[in-house]
Structures are given as structure tokens and as C-alpha cells.
Amino acid sequence: MRLHWHRRDLRLADNRGLAEAPDSPAGLFVFDDRVLDHAGPPRVVFMLEALERLRAAYRKRGSELLVRYGDPASVLPEMADRYDAEFVSWNRDYSGLANERDDRVANALRDEGVTPQKFHDAICHEPGSITTNAGDPYSVYTYFWKKWRDRPKDEPDPVPELADIGSEADGETPIPTVGDLGFDPPDASVPPAGTDAARERLEAFLEEDVFRYDEARDYPAEGCTSGLSPHLKFGTIGIRELDRRVRETRDAVEGEKRESVVEFRSQLAWREFYTHVLYFNPEVVTENYKTYENGIEWEDDPELLAAWKRGETGYPIVDAGMRQLRTEAFMHNRVRMIVASFLTKDLLIDWRAGYEHFRERLVDHDTANDNGGWQWAASTGTDAQPYFRIFNPMTQGERYDPDGEYIKTYVSELSGVDPEVIHSWHELTPTQRENAAPDYPAPIVDHSERREAALSMFERARGEDS
């Protein structure tokens, strides 16, 4: 018999470790305080529902998802002994902390005569398998994408025969509530979790929206996103299953439709690119990827940071994004770039403060992807936005939400205001603002002035390094 330790693979189908290790598996999930310390309430709620769905899938097949609390390095050897398991399998994660934990667990199992088995599962191509001609990991996405795009992809794994331990696990530990784990219920709504929900979302996206993804993905009011990011975060759908369905859709169409599907597929490669970056550079979670940027003189202004978090900056597209985050535990990707640029280039606040807020609030927070996105916006990361290209939040709002539809959805104070007024908010006099929307704040900083300050800040940092 074998135990399979689920972490970010909360599914049975297309699960490499579950399917390919020897012996029939039963599932095991361990609530580890050191992992929960980095969690946020929306993600915990999503994870708990995914675990309920996974347990139901195990039980439907006469098996069980076992649940325990504690340090996996203690829990896994103990459970292997209890169920007389010769093997414990799991799928690899690629952060530095995950690798350290995996090594501790593997050593503890070996000490007890149990064989640990680690599998590559979370992404299509293992770190180190896509490299430059010199054998180095890529730091530029475009070159990575060209090789990723053309590299053959494995087929999804079927659900294996599971261990029949249903009767032995009677009275098994229930799945806890968010309160049981010490979290307050989130203010935001959380989407449905589990493999069925992921597949339903995927099929709905591939039926229509994927064919307009290329032209509509940057316009938040269009809602043209797959909605799969939390499912990829927790592995409620396998990446091979997902990519196969996307390729099948691509191959069934031509022209602009095909190009649009390819554009969506390139976003899967972006996620994988950032995972490779994290694997080879685990320090980027807390440090700038570009070391010459370590001399940046970030400002420490709690009041500006608090206004950004509340969505009360006086820049409508920024505030809409921050309020969407608060109410939905999600933010449209274009708007994520805008609010991140605003924090780092207009407020001159360290990207790490924004990353931590997103980590707490997002249902789809992923260390590699979010860190990559934040460092891209802050011009400190690999293949990042050049420091001298600074988003103008008003221009971005006018370009990507011309009718103010997205802004009005989340900024109620502007719901009855003409789009021209919304997009010229920074130019209005106090009297004009009072007449148009008395409850909406004036801009908390002047973009033009802060742009110059940001340029000076980055140039000083670069000059000190040269």
C-alpha cells in the first residue's frame, strides 16, 4: 500500500504522483502551521472546499482522503506506520521553502524504512528542461515561450486504482472550517472549488471567450478571462489535461480564432516561466531579481499605502481594482499591472508591501506568478517593465475602460458620473469634483510629479551600482 501526500494537487485525474508510483494509493493531506502562516482567508476557503470535493471522490471509489495536523516530517512516517505503507508519494513544489520541507520529510521517511517518491506534476516542463543553448535557465520570456510552445507535452494520467481503506478509516478526521484553522471568514466571495468546477469553467471558456481572448483580455469590463487561476494554484485541474483541451480547441479553428487560442496558451507558458525563475532563484520571494536595484530608496508612507489598500487613491481605475480585490478576492490581470505600477512608481512604495497584500487577499495567489508580476511592474524582476516606462493610471483607465463600465461597477461614488469626467478626474478643480462626485476623493499624489521622482529614484540606484 502507498500513501499519496496531496499539497497543490487536489484532484485524482491527471495526477502524476498519484498515478505513476507503485501500489494502490490512499490520499493524505496535512495541515501544516508553517504553510498556513502564509495563507489568506480566501485561499483557505477555496482549499477547504477543494478538499471536501477530493475526499468525496476518494470515497466514491472505496478509498479515503486522510486528514491530519502537524509537521509533515512527523505525521507522514507515523501514518505510513499506521497503514503499513511502504511508499509515500507526492508531487513537487518549486519554491525554496517547499524544497527544504520535502528534503526533511524524505529523510524522516527513510529513517523509518519508508521509500519517499517525488514526482514532477505541477507544470508541463520541469525546471532545467528548457534552457538556453549554453544550458542556462531563461531570463527572457519570449525565448522561453518559443521552446515551450514547440516542446511535446505529456498526455494526462488516468485515475489509478485506489487503496481500499474505506472501512479502516471510519470516523476519519473531518475537514475543518476556516474558523477551525484560526482564520476569520473572508469578506470577499470565493468561486466554487474542485475538479468539476474547474472543468465546467474551462469548457465554458473554450466554448466562446477564448476566441476573443486576444482582443478582449486587456479590457476588464469584458470579463474575458478563463477564471482558472485558483484551480491552477491548488491543482484542482491538471496542467496536461488543461493544455490538451486548449490544443484541441486551437487545432479545430483557423485565422484570428486560432491566434486568440495561442495567445491564451502563452499565458500558461508565462506561469511556467515564472516557476522556473523561482526554482533557480528562490531568493526572489523577498529580494529583487535585479541586484543593481537593491539601492532603490523606497518611501515608507503608511497613509498612502493604506489609501491604496482601501481603493481611495483618487485614481478611478486603481481604486476599482483594489475594491474588486476586496469584494471578489480577485483582480483582472491588466488592472493588477496598473495598481502595481501605481504603488511602486506613483507612491514609490516597495513592491513587497503590495505583494504581501495580494498574498493575503487573492484567492489565486501563487508565489511564483505573483512575485514575477510584482517584480515586473516594479522593474526589479526578470524580463521586467523598463524602469522608465511608467504607466499613467488615467491614460490606462481611459484606454482599457473607455466607458467607465468596470470603474462604475466597483467605485459606487462614480456610478452616475460621465466617463469623460471620470477619466479627467485628476484635472478637475475641487469644485468640479464636489459637483460630480462629492464622496470620491481627490488624487492623493500628482502623477506627473511622482513620475519624475520615480525616474530619479531608479537612476540614483543604477548610478550607485555603476
Side-chain angles (χ1 to χ4, degrees):
M1 152 140 183
R2 169 169 58 98
L3 292 175
H4 180 77
W5 179 26
H6 287 275
R7 293 103 63 83
R8 289 183 53 181
D9 58 332
L10 304 184
R11 65 186 186 279
L12 295 183
D14 190 21
N15 187 317
R16 182 64 52 82
L18 194 70
E20 295 198 0
D23 287 353
S24 298
L28 173 63
F29 187 87
V30 182
F31 288 98
D32 182 350
D33 284 340
R34 281 170 293 190
V35 175
L36 290 173
D37 284 344
H38 297 280
R43 295 202 312 286
V44 172
V45 168
F46 188 93
M47 176 186 70
L48 293 176
E49 182 179 349
L51 286 170
E52 291 280 9
R53 300 289 180 267
L54 181 59
R55 172 172 273 182
Y58 267 100
R59 289 178 172 175
K60 185 177 180 180
R61 292 166 172 80
S63 191
E64 181 61 270
L65 174 67
L66 307 166
V67 171
R68 291 295 183 272
Y69 299 81
D71 181 354
S74 299
V75 172
L76 267 65
E78 180 182 302
M79 294 296 287
D81 179 66
R82 175 175 174 178
Y83 286 94
D84 197 24
E86 297 181 62
F87 307 93
V88 174
S89 60
W90 64 87
N91 292 316
R92 297 178 61 195
D93 200 353
Y94 295 105
S95 71
L97 287 176
N99 287 328
E100 291 173 11
R101 180 179 63 163
D102 287 0
D103 288 344
R104 285 195 308 108
V105 171
N107 289 334
L109 288 167
R110 290 190 192 100
D111 288 344
E112 299 301 321
V114 180
T115 301
Q117 296 180 316
K118 294 185 282 187
F119 290 84
H120 162 68
D121 172 79
I123 52 180
C124 289
H125 302 292
E126 196 166 3
S129 63
I130 297 181
T131 62
T132 67
N133 292 337
D136 299 320
Y138 278 107
S139 60
V140 176
Y141 167 74
T142 304
Y143 302 126
F144 177 90
W145 157 242
K146 288 177 179 178
K147 286 190 177 179
W148 186 96
R149 172 188 66 192
D150 298 331
R151 190 71 58 88
K153 303 293 185 284
D154 291 339
E155 287 299 304
D157 290 298
V159 179
E161 181 179 347
L162 303 176
D164 182 9
I165 64 165
S167 59
E168 297 178 49
D170 286 346
E172 175 55 27
T173 305
I175 305 294
T177 66
V178 64
D180 292 336
L181 296 176
F183 293 89
D184 293 328
D187 298 329
S189 58
V190 175
T195 297
D196 288 346
R199 286 172 170 166
E200 289 173 10
R201 189 70 194 90
L202 172 62
E203 294 307 319
F205 178 67
L206 295 182
E207 184 175 332
E208 181 178 354
D209 280 351
V210 73
F211 300 124
R212 61 189 190 96
Y213 183 80
D214 193 18
E215 65 178 26
R217 65 190 177 91
D218 276 328
Y219 297 87
E222 293 285 340
C224 191
T225 63
S226 71
L228 291 169
S229 52
H231 296 284
L232 290 170
K233 156 67 181 180
F234 287 102
T236 53
I237 191 168
I239 189 63
R240 290 161 298 278
E241 177 181 343
L242 170 57
D243 185 67
R244 184 176 69 176
R245 285 292 297 116
V246 173
R247 285 185 283 115
E248 289 171 347
T249 302
R250 176 201 63 190
D251 294 343
V253 295
E254 297 178 348
E256 292 183 357
K257 285 187 173 182
R258 183 183 178 91
E259 291 175 6
S260 189
V261 178
V262 170
E263 178 58 40
F264 173 71
R265 192 165 182 250
S266 76
Q267 299 304 309
L268 302 180
W270 262 113
R271 296 181 67 91
E272 195 152 319
F273 172 70
Y274 281 139
T275 301
H276 286 220
V277 170
L278 176 64
Y279 178 78
F280 289 107
N281 306 274
E283 71 282 355
V284 296
V285 176
T286 56
E287 299 177 17
N288 295 331
Y289 178 87
K290 294 179 178 177
T291 56
Y292 67 77
E293 305 290 14
N294 288 335
I296 296 173
E297 301 163 351
W298 299 111
E299 295 188 4
D300 181 14
D301 194 319
E303 291 186 7
L304 291 182
L305 177 60
W308 177 83
K309 289 180 178 180
R310 293 194 305 268
E312 296 177 0
T313 68
Y315 286 89
I317 191 72
V318 173
D319 294 339
M322 298 307 294
R323 297 187 195 188
Q324 182 185 22
L325 175 63
R326 190 169 67 227
T327 58
E328 298 178 6
F330 176 80
M331 190 188 302
H332 186 276
N333 189 58
R334 165 57 59 173
V335 187
R336 293 190 197 202
M337 292 189 283
I338 295 170
V339 304
S341 177
F342 186 82
L343 182 74
T344 56
K345 305 293 179 59
D346 284 77
L347 303 187
L348 310 182
I349 290 175
D350 195 328
W351 63 265
R352 282 159 278 232
Y355 172 82
E356 285 300 311
H357 185 66
F358 273 31
R359 181 183 63 79
E360 176 73 15
R361 291 280 184 168
L362 280 172
V363 69
D364 63 358
H365 166 76
D366 175 274
T367 299
N369 203 48
D370 281 2
N371 180 270
W374 270 100
Q375 293 222 44
W376 181 91
S379 301
T380 62
T382 178
D383 205 10
Q385 174 92 321
Y387 77 92
F388 49 82
R389 290 185 183 169
I390 297 176
F391 282 179
N392 181 321
M394 300 306 297
T395 301
Q396 291 282 311
E398 187 172 15
R399 180 180 301 161
Y400 295 110
D401 190 30
D403 297 328
E405 184 179 349
Y406 173 79
I407 290 169
K408 292 179 182 183
T409 297
Y410 297 101
V411 183
S412 60
E413 304 97 305
L414 298 175
S415 60
V417 178
D418 188 276
E420 291 186 7
V421 174
I422 291 175
H423 298 312
S424 61
W425 191 255
H426 62 304
E427 299 175 335
L428 302 182
T429 66
T431 299
Q432 288 173 319
R433 293 190 190 109
E434 178 69 22
N435 290 335
D439 296 326
Y440 186 64
I444 58 175
V445 294
D446 182 286
H447 171 70
S448 297
E449 293 177 359
R450 302 297 276 193
R451 181 183 184 278
E452 294 305 314
L455 290 173
S456 296
M457 181 178 75
F458 276 88
E459 286 166 359
R460 285 195 303 272
R462 292 169 64 86
E464 290 172 3
D465 187 72
S466 60

Coordinates of all heavy atoms in Angstrom, one line a residue, residues 423-455:
H423 N -12.4 60.1 -16.4 CA -11.1 60.0 -17.0 C -10.3 61.3 -16.9 O -9.1 61.3 -17.2 CB -11.1 59.4 -18.4 CG -11.7 58.1 -18.5 ND1 -11.3 57.0 -17.7 CD2 -12.7 57.5 -19.3 CE1 -12.0 55.9 -18.0 NE2 -12.8 56.2 -19.0
S424 N -10.9 62.4 -16.5 CA -10.2 63.6 -16.3 C -10.3 64.1 -14.9 O -10.0 65.2 -14.6 CB -10.9 64.7 -17.2 OG -12.3 64.9 -16.9
W425 N -10.5 63.1 -14.0 CA -10.7 63.4 -12.6 C -9.4 64.1 -12.0 O -9.6 65.0 -11.2 CB -10.9 62.1 -11.8 CG -11.3 62.3 -10.4 CD1 -10.5 62.1 -9.2 CD2 -12.6 62.7 -9.9 NE1 -11.3 62.4 -8.1 CE2 -12.5 62.8 -8.5 CE3 -13.8 63.1 -10.6 CZ2 -13.6 63.1 -7.7 CZ3 -14.9 63.4 -9.8 CH2 -14.8 63.5 -8.4
H426 N -8.3 63.8 -12.5 CA -7.0 64.4 -11.9 C -6.9 65.9 -12.4 O -6.1 66.6 -11.8 CB -5.8 63.6 -12.4 CG -5.7 63.6 -13.9 ND1 -6.7 63.1 -14.8 CD2 -4.6 64.0 -14.7 CE1 -6.2 63.2 -16.0 NE2 -5.0 63.7 -16.0
E427 N -7.6 66.3 -13.4 CA -7.5 67.7 -13.9 C -8.6 68.6 -13.4 O -8.6 69.8 -13.6 CB -7.6 67.6 -15.5 CG -6.5 66.8 -16.1 CD -6.7 66.7 -17.6 OE1 -7.8 66.8 -18.1 OE2 -5.7 66.5 -18.3
L428 N -9.6 68.0 -12.7 CA -10.8 68.8 -12.3 C -10.4 69.7 -11.1 O -9.5 69.4 -10.3 CB -11.9 67.9 -11.9 CG -12.5 67.0 -13.0 CD1 -13.6 66.2 -12.4 CD2 -12.8 67.7 -14.2
T429 N -11.1 70.8 -10.9 CA -11.0 71.7 -9.8 C -11.7 71.0 -8.6 O -12.6 70.2 -8.8 CB -11.5 73.0 -10.0 OG1 -13.0 72.9 -10.2 CG2 -10.9 73.7 -11.3
P430 N -11.4 71.4 -7.4 CA -12.1 70.9 -6.2 C -13.6 71.1 -6.4 O -14.4 70.2 -6.0 CB -11.6 71.7 -5.0 CG -10.2 72.0 -5.5 CD -10.3 72.3 -6.9
T431 N -14.1 72.2 -6.9 CA -15.5 72.5 -7.1 C -16.1 71.5 -8.1 O -17.2 71.0 -7.9 CB -15.7 73.9 -7.5 OG1 -15.2 74.8 -6.5 CG2 -17.2 74.2 -7.7
Q432 N -15.4 71.3 -9.2 CA -15.9 70.4 -10.2 C -16.0 68.9 -9.6 O -17.0 68.2 -9.9 CB -15.0 70.4 -11.4 CG -15.1 71.6 -12.2 CD -14.0 71.7 -13.3 OE1 -12.9 71.3 -13.1 NE2 -14.4 72.2 -14.5
R433 N -15.1 68.5 -8.8 CA -15.1 67.2 -8.2 C -16.3 67.1 -7.2 O -17.0 66.1 -7.1 CB -13.8 66.9 -7.5 CG -12.6 66.7 -8.4 CD -11.4 66.1 -7.7 NE -10.2 66.1 -8.5 CZ -9.2 67.0 -8.3 NH1 -9.2 67.8 -7.3 NH2 -8.2 66.9 -9.1
E434 N -16.5 68.2 -6.4 CA -17.6 68.2 -5.5 C -18.9 68.1 -6.2 O -19.8 67.4 -5.7 CB -17.5 69.5 -4.7 CG -18.6 69.7 -3.6 CD -18.5 68.8 -2.5 OE1 -17.4 68.2 -2.2 OE2 -19.6 68.5 -1.8
N435 N -19.1 68.8 -7.3 CA -20.3 68.7 -8.0 C -20.5 67.4 -8.7 O -21.7 66.9 -8.8 CB -20.3 69.8 -9.1 CG -20.4 71.2 -8.5 OD1 -20.9 71.4 -7.4 ND2 -20.0 72.2 -9.2
A436 N -19.5 66.7 -9.1 CA -19.6 65.5 -9.9 C -19.8 64.3 -9.0 O -20.6 63.4 -9.2 CB -18.4 65.3 -10.8
A437 N -19.0 64.2 -7.9 CA -19.0 63.0 -7.0 C -18.4 63.4 -5.7 O -17.2 63.2 -5.4 CB -18.2 61.9 -7.6
P438 N -19.2 64.0 -4.8 CA -18.7 64.6 -3.6 C -18.1 63.6 -2.6 O -17.2 64.0 -1.8 CB -20.0 65.2 -3.0 CG -21.1 64.5 -3.6 CD -20.7 64.2 -5.0
D439 N -18.4 62.3 -2.8 CA -17.9 61.3 -1.8 C -16.6 60.6 -2.3 O -16.0 59.8 -1.6 CB -18.9 60.3 -1.5 CG -20.1 60.8 -0.8 OD1 -19.9 61.8 0.0 OD2 -21.2 60.4 -1.1
Y440 N -16.2 61.0 -3.6 CA -15.0 60.3 -4.1 C -13.8 61.2 -3.9 O -13.9 62.4 -4.1 CB -15.2 60.0 -5.6 CG -14.0 59.2 -6.2 CD1 -13.7 57.9 -5.7 CD2 -13.2 59.8 -7.1 CE1 -12.7 57.2 -6.2 CE2 -12.1 59.1 -7.7 CZ -11.9 57.8 -7.2 OH -10.8 57.1 -7.7
P441 N -12.6 60.7 -3.4 CA -11.5 61.6 -3.1 C -10.8 62.2 -4.3 O -10.8 61.7 -5.4 CB -10.6 60.6 -2.3 CG -10.9 59.3 -2.9 CD -12.4 59.3 -3.2
A442 N -10.1 63.3 -4.0 CA -9.2 63.9 -4.9 C -7.9 63.0 -5.0 O -7.7 62.2 -4.1 CB -8.8 65.3 -4.5
P443 N -7.2 63.0 -6.1 CA -5.9 62.3 -6.2 C -5.0 62.5 -5.0 O -4.8 63.7 -4.6 CB -5.3 62.7 -7.5 CG -6.5 63.2 -8.3 CD -7.4 63.8 -7.4
I444 N -4.4 61.4 -4.5 CA -3.6 61.6 -3.3 C -2.2 62.0 -3.6 O -1.4 62.4 -2.8 CB -3.6 60.3 -2.4 CG1 -3.1 59.1 -3.3 CG2 -4.9 60.0 -1.9 CD1 -2.9 57.8 -2.5
V445 N -1.8 61.8 -4.9 CA -0.5 62.3 -5.4 C -0.7 62.9 -6.8 O -1.7 62.6 -7.5 CB 0.6 61.2 -5.4 CG1 0.9 60.7 -4.0 CG2 0.1 60.0 -6.3
D446 N 0.3 63.7 -7.2 CA 0.3 64.2 -8.6 C 1.1 63.2 -9.5 O 2.3 63.0 -9.2 CB 0.9 65.6 -8.6 CG 0.8 66.2 -10.0 OD1 1.7 65.7 -10.9 OD2 0.0 67.1 -10.3
H447 N 0.5 62.6 -10.5 CA 1.2 61.6 -11.2 C 2.4 62.1 -11.9 O 3.5 61.5 -11.9 CB 0.3 61.0 -12.3 CG 1.0 60.1 -13.3 ND1 1.5 58.9 -12.9 CD2 1.3 60.3 -14.6 CE1 2.1 58.3 -14.0 NE2 2.0 59.2 -15.0
S448 N 2.3 63.3 -12.5 CA 3.5 63.9 -13.2 C 4.7 64.1 -12.3 O 5.8 63.8 -12.6 CB 3.1 65.2 -13.9 OG 2.1 65.0 -14.9
E449 N 4.4 64.6 -11.1 CA 5.5 64.9 -10.1 C 6.1 63.5 -9.7 O 7.3 63.4 -9.6 CB 5.0 65.7 -9.0 CG 4.5 67.1 -9.3 CD 3.9 67.8 -8.1 OE1 3.9 67.2 -7.0 OE2 3.6 69.0 -8.2
R450 N 5.2 62.6 -9.4 CA 5.7 61.3 -8.9 C 6.5 60.5 -10.0 O 7.4 59.8 -9.7 CB 4.6 60.5 -8.3 CG 3.8 61.2 -7.2 CD 4.7 61.4 -6.0 NE 4.8 60.3 -5.1 CZ 5.2 60.3 -3.9 NH1 5.7 61.5 -3.4 NH2 5.3 59.2 -3.2
R451 N 6.1 60.7 -11.2 CA 6.8 60.1 -12.3 C 8.3 60.5 -12.3 O 9.2 59.7 -12.4 CB 6.1 60.3 -13.6 CG 6.8 59.7 -14.8 CD 6.1 60.1 -16.1 NE 6.7 59.3 -17.2 CZ 7.9 59.7 -17.8 NH1 8.5 60.8 -17.4 NH2 8.4 59.0 -18.8
E452 N 8.4 61.8 -12.2 CA 9.8 62.4 -12.2 C 10.6 61.9 -11.0 O 11.8 61.6 -11.1 CB 9.8 63.9 -12.2 CG 9.2 64.5 -13.5 CD 9.9 64.0 -14.7 OE1 11.2 64.0 -14.7 OE2 9.3 63.6 -15.7
A453 N 9.9 61.8 -9.8 CA 10.5 61.3 -8.6 C 10.9 59.8 -8.8 O 12.0 59.4 -8.3 CB 9.6 61.5 -7.4
A454 N 10.1 59.0 -9.4 CA 10.4 57.6 -9.6 C 11.6 57.5 -10.6 O 12.5 56.7 -10.3 CB 9.2 56.9 -10.2
L455 N 11.7 58.2 -11.6 CA 12.8 58.2 -12.5 C 14.1 58.5 -11.8 O 15.1 57.8 -12.0 CB 12.6 59.1 -13.7 CG 11.5 58.7 -14.7 CD1 11.3 59.8 -15.7 CD2 11.8 57.4 -15.4

